[in-house]
Amino acid sequence: GQHGSFYQNASNINAGTLSTDRFSAYSDLIEEGMVGRVDGRLADSGWIRRAFSDTTVAGQDFTSTTPSGWSWKTETGFTIPGSIVLLDGSVIRATINSTFTGRSYFFRNMNSSELYFQILCWMNGSTGICSGIRFEDNNNFVEIYFKLVSSAPQFQVCGNINNTETVFSAYSTNVLPPFTLIGFQRYGANWSSWNPLAIIIGQCIIGQVWGSVQTWQPLRVGWVTRWVGASWNQSFVDLIRP
């Protein structure tokens, strides 16, 4: 036999299987430089999401179903989804679990210096379901989302004009790409005369859609999904930046 210290030195192991409780494969890959964006290395989920969002800043990564500062809107016409589940440590899945027709809006306050946003989202449901990003003050809103329609999926920009919801622009696509990146850029003067320029980046689709000139300053921003009265409809969000 050997002295007790021999068996406490991992360099003396020459056979058998090491328990995962005693070894971190991920830490070893990091130590050996095998995780990253170089060919021959593994890409972790952060790099994958950042590749989608074209940024090294993940923004609001939904590692919780209730991040600090975020709330569900509960006013007339809005509902909190019946089921809110965290998937894979960064994706929120919302299921309505009812025949409600309307919206769910998960938002945070925004400041006037924030002029550009991106959201990575997706939905699975029946005709009419939408998933995207919403900006609002106490009287106005702009929404940019993908909508599942019977003829072809559409990318739409809509908003409130004189208390009437209006579709500013609509762009039809042949496919509904998974986890599509939707970008928003404030184009024009800072919130005094601006146009919501919507940008889409997804599989087999890239482009931009203009909205309509606005003259109000958004106070809140967040993830919006629309429900169409089918209990199995689901909507997903991965991240919002900045």
Side-chain angles (χ1 to χ4, degrees):
Q2 301 286 342
H3 188 274
S5 61
F6 176 88
Y7 300 102
Q8 295 176 336
N9 188 340
S11 64
N12 293 319
I13 299 174
N14 58 17
T17 301
L18 189 64
S19 169
T20 54
D21 293 337
R22 308 298 182 192
F23 179 75
S24 172
Y26 183 74
S27 296
D28 180 65
L29 289 170
I30 293 290
E31 180 69 23
E32 295 185 31
M34 295 305 295
V35 175
R37 293 180 292 174
V38 179
D39 288 346
R41 297 182 182 179
L42 298 175
D44 66 15
S45 59
W47 287 118
I48 293 172
R49 289 195 300 277
R50 291 167 194 170
F52 269 115
S53 61
D54 192 29
T55 177
T56 57
V57 180
Q60 179 60 59
D61 198 359
F62 291 103
T63 55
S64 166
T65 57
T66 55
S68 176
W70 289 75
S71 305
W72 288 98
K73 190 168 185 175
T74 57
E75 298 174 11
T76 302
F78 294 84
T79 190
I80 300 175
S83 173
I84 305 169
V85 179
L86 185 67
L87 304 177
D88 299 325
S90 66
V91 178
I92 293 179
R93 181 187 68 197
T95 308
I96 190 62
N97 288 348
S98 74
T99 57
F100 175 84
T101 297
R103 293 178 174 89
S104 292
Y105 181 43
F106 195 44
F107 68 91
R108 69 163 174 81
N109 294 332
M110 62 176 286
N111 60 63
S112 60
S113 64
E114 295 179 311
L115 306 178
Y116 181 77
F117 287 86
Q118 290 179 334
I119 185 170
L120 197 58
C121 60
W122 186 60
M123 74 278 193
N124 176 32
S126 54
T127 297
I129 189 172
C130 306
S131 186
I133 193 166
R134 175 184 171 102
F135 305 85
E136 66 172 24
D137 65 3
N138 297 325
N139 301 299
N140 306 281
F141 73 87
V142 166
E143 292 181 349
I144 303 168
Y145 52 73
F146 257 102
K147 180 178 183 180
L148 187 61
V149 297
S150 57
S151 55
Q154 286 189 349
F155 180 68
Q156 293 188 355
V157 181
C158 77
N160 179 36
I161 296 180
N162 297 326
N163 297 316
T164 300
E165 183 172 335
T166 302
V167 176
F168 299 144
S169 304
Y171 175 79
S172 297
T173 70
N174 294 322
V175 296
L176 184 64
F179 278 98
T180 300
L181 176 70
I182 299 176
F184 161 85
Q185 179 177 349
R186 188 279 310 143
Y187 186 85
N190 286 358
W191 310 124
S192 60
S193 179
W194 58 280
N195 196 320
L197 172 59
I199 304 165
I200 43 175
I201 303 174
Q203 294 181 358
C204 306
I205 180 172
I206 184 169
Q208 64 184 34
V209 179
W210 290 94
S212 179
V213 173
Q214 309 291 307
T215 58
W216 51 277
Q217 177 180 325
L219 302 177
R220 295 171 290 275
V221 60
W223 171 42
V224 66
T225 182
R226 296 194 183 195
W227 310 102
V228 289
S231 62
W232 54 274
N233 285 333
Q234 294 182 330
S235 191
F236 305 78
V237 64
D238 192 348
L239 66 83
I240 291 180
R241 69 168 289 262

